Amino acid sequence: MMTKKEYTFGDLVSIIKTLRGENGCPWDRVQTHDSIKMNLLEEAYEALEALDTGTKDQFADELGDILLQVVFHSHIGEDEGTFSLADVLRHVCEKMISRHSHIFGTDTAETPEEVLATWEKNKQKERGQKSHTESMESVCSYLPALIRAQKVQSKAAKVGFDWESAEGALAKLTEEVEELTEAVKEENVDHISEELGDVLFSAVNVARFYHVTAEEALTKTVRKFIDRFSHVEAEAKRMGKNLEEMSLTEMDVLWEQAKLR
């Protein structure tokens, strides 16, 4: 296939068909859903990273990689005779029409909040969910735990099962930290794990009350930690020392310097 200035979705489908064909790429031909499943997750995260830290063209590039995974899996499905790209498109189109019943149906939704409520109602109807518990259980178990916790909490809050204020959520976090402290004194690993989970869950509740995405907050803190640690290591090297040779007190001094930058 000759390179072009512009490509269509059909071109991508054709490329994958060629790569998976009889005289195609040896690697592409032997891939299965299972062998490439983590690629889908990796590409999604790389797209988010490009959105936050890259250019718009880099973001577009990463979205293309996600689209590649969709077409690749669809072609594998066609080879297996289990589903096709047409099935993928049918599912997503039917879903968008069904869940936007305020546009394509008889429901009414004037605000973004009403739209979300309509979306959730239609989703529960599609999945045959008859209870709020079933709705919570349907939150994808493969999600990072902080994201899943925040989604589950939000579902509980919609029916009024929630703290009356952020102060209540903060007080609960303090209570859970105290219980974790007691568990640590017992030196019982299972109890420590349980109480630590409660602390994290309570911290997510606080984040939700202040309209903070817990996953993003922790990601930023990890980045901040690495940045400050980089300063500590660079300063140690400038002083002619290895970190392994320094005391914690010496490293703390450099850490405080990093915080003031």
Side-chain angles (χ1 to χ4, degrees):
M1 176 180 287
M2 299 293 292
T3 57
K4 301 160 61 174
K5 288 186 177 180
E6 292 186 0
Y7 293 89
T8 66
F9 183 72
D11 288 328
L12 176 58
V13 174
S14 178
I15 289 170
I16 298 302
K17 184 176 181 180
T18 299
L19 293 175
R20 294 270 300 172
E22 184 177 352
N23 298 313
C25 171
W27 184 88
D28 290 281
R29 290 178 60 193
V30 300
Q31 298 312 305
T32 66
H33 290 307
D34 193 62
S35 70
I36 64 170
K37 67 181 181 182
M38 296 309 296
N39 293 359
L40 187 59
L41 183 62
E42 181 180 342
E43 298 299 355
Y45 278 122
E46 288 182 358
L48 291 179
E49 184 177 34
L51 176 61
D52 287 342
T53 65
T55 65
K56 294 303 181 184
D57 189 61
Q58 287 172 329
F59 183 43
D61 180 44
E62 296 298 343
L63 287 177
D65 289 343
I66 294 176
L67 186 57
L68 165 63
Q69 297 304 312
V70 173
V71 175
F72 205 146
H73 279 285
S74 298
H75 200 283
I76 292 174
E78 290 178 359
D79 288 342
E80 295 175 341
T82 52
F83 69 92
S84 67
L85 183 57
D87 292 319
V88 174
L89 294 171
R90 173 176 55 83
H91 279 300
V92 70
C93 287
E94 288 180 350
K95 184 182 298 180
M96 294 304 290
I97 292 170
S98 171
R99 295 188 185 176
H100 286 86
S101 55
H102 58 293
I103 301 296
F104 302 108
T106 57
D107 283 334
T108 300
E110 301 293 340
T111 67
E113 291 74 22
E114 290 175 345
V115 170
L116 290 177
T118 299
W119 177 283
E120 186 66 23
K121 179 199 70 173
N122 290 331
K123 183 167 69 172
Q124 289 182 9
K125 182 179 179 181
E126 289 170 15
R127 297 180 176 181
Q129 296 169 355
K130 298 180 180 179
S131 70
H132 296 293
T133 299
E134 287 179 323
S135 178
M136 287 184 185
E137 290 173 339
S138 72
V139 176
C140 180
S141 62
Y142 275 39
L143 283 172
L146 292 179
I147 295 177
R148 188 171 185 231
Q150 199 149 358
K151 283 181 171 292
V152 167
Q153 290 173 2
S154 294
K155 288 180 178 294
K158 287 177 182 177
V159 297
F161 192 76
D162 202 4
W163 299 103
E164 293 183 357
S165 66
E167 288 73 20
L170 278 167
K172 183 61 176 177
L173 175 58
T174 300
E175 176 187 324
E176 296 296 354
V177 170
E178 292 172 352
E179 291 182 5
L180 173 60
T181 301
E182 291 302 313
V184 169
K185 292 178 181 178
E186 297 173 7
E187 299 184 354
N188 183 313
V189 176
D190 289 338
H191 193 194
I192 292 171
S193 177
E194 178 185 356
E195 295 299 341
L196 181 57
D198 290 345
V199 168
L200 294 173
F201 194 80
S202 296
V204 172
N205 248 329
V206 173
R208 184 172 54 81
F209 263 96
Y210 287 103
H211 307 291
V212 172
T213 301
E215 187 75 21
E216 291 182 2
L218 183 56
T219 296
K220 289 177 181 177
T221 294
V222 172
R223 289 175 183 165
K224 181 171 62 178
F225 178 88
I226 294 174
D227 179 62
R228 291 177 179 175
F229 187 87
S230 174
H231 172 81
V232 171
E233 188 170 34
E235 285 298 302
K237 184 176 181 180
R238 188 182 63 81
M239 297 163 59
K241 295 183 177 181
N242 294 321
L243 292 181
E244 294 82 357
E245 301 169 346
M246 299 180 69
S247 68
L248 180 58
T249 300
E250 290 175 309
M251 286 189 283
D252 276 341
V253 171
L254 298 180
W255 183 267
E256 290 302 317
Q257 292 176 0
K259 289 168 61 177
L260 296 174
R261 287 186 303 159

